[in-house]
């Protein structure tokens, strides 16, 4: 299993999302290395199809497919929650659903 955590240094939500991801992995008993990648330029954001920080991909699939279509940019990301609200971090349920 490959887990990518892409972030922009200026985003205050990244630490919270990383902590939540680690909690979910621990609770599921999964030992997986989280590949941290700081996106530093707009060009890099476009190359990586980075819709904002934080972006979490598991085996190449975004944990929030609806939000993954956002315009690549160095900004904070918006996660679309099942009830229609938005959040700066994914939900525990979104992370769990994305894991094998």
């Amino acid at each position: 299993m490959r887990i990518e955590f892409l972030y922009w240094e200026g985003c205050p939500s990244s630490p919270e999302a990383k902590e939540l991801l680690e909690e979910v992995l621990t609770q599921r008993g999964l030992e997986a290395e989280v590949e941290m990648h700081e996106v530093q330029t707009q060009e890099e954001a476009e190359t990586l199809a980075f819709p904002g920080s934080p972006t979490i991909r598991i085996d190449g699939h975004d944990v929030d497919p609806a939000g993954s279509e956002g315009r690549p940019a160095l900004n904070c990301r918006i996660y679309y929650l099942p009830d229609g609200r938005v959040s700066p971090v994914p939900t525990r349920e979104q992370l769990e659903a994305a894991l094998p």
Side-chain angles (χ1 to χ4, degrees), residues 1 3 16-32 34 56 58 63 90-100:
M1 173 174 44
I3 301 175
E16 179 183 352
K18 184 173 184 290
E19 183 177 317
L20 178 60
L21 174 60
E22 290 172 349
E23 284 177 18
V24 169
L25 291 171
T26 298
Q27 289 174 350
R28 294 276 300 265
L30 298 171
E31 292 186 25
V34 177
I56 303 169
I58 299 174
V63 300
T91 65
R92 178 177 305 274
E93 291 79 15
Q94 285 173 307
L95 292 174
E96 288 174 348
L99 290 167

Side-chain angles (χ1 to χ4, degrees), residues 7-80:
Y7 67 100
W8 166 60
E9 187 62 38
C11 178
S13 303
S14 295
E16 179 183 352
K18 184 173 184 290
E19 183 177 317
L20 178 60
L21 174 60
E22 290 172 349
E23 284 177 18
V24 169
L25 291 171
T26 298
Q27 289 174 350
R28 294 276 300 265
L30 298 171
E31 292 186 25
E33 180 181 339
V34 177
E35 298 174 22
M36 301 295 293
H37 185 101
E38 180 185 356
V39 180
Q40 298 181 2
T41 66
Q42 180 62 31
E43 180 179 287
E44 189 178 17
E46 291 171 12
T47 299
L48 295 169
F50 176 70
S53 180
T55 290
I56 303 169
R57 296 180 182 144
I58 299 174
D59 292 333
H61 300 284
D62 198 292
V63 300
D64 176 25
S68 69
E69 300 300 320
R71 182 180 61 82
L74 291 180
N75 59 14
C76 293
R77 181 169 173 168
I78 295 174
Y79 280 87
Y80 296 92

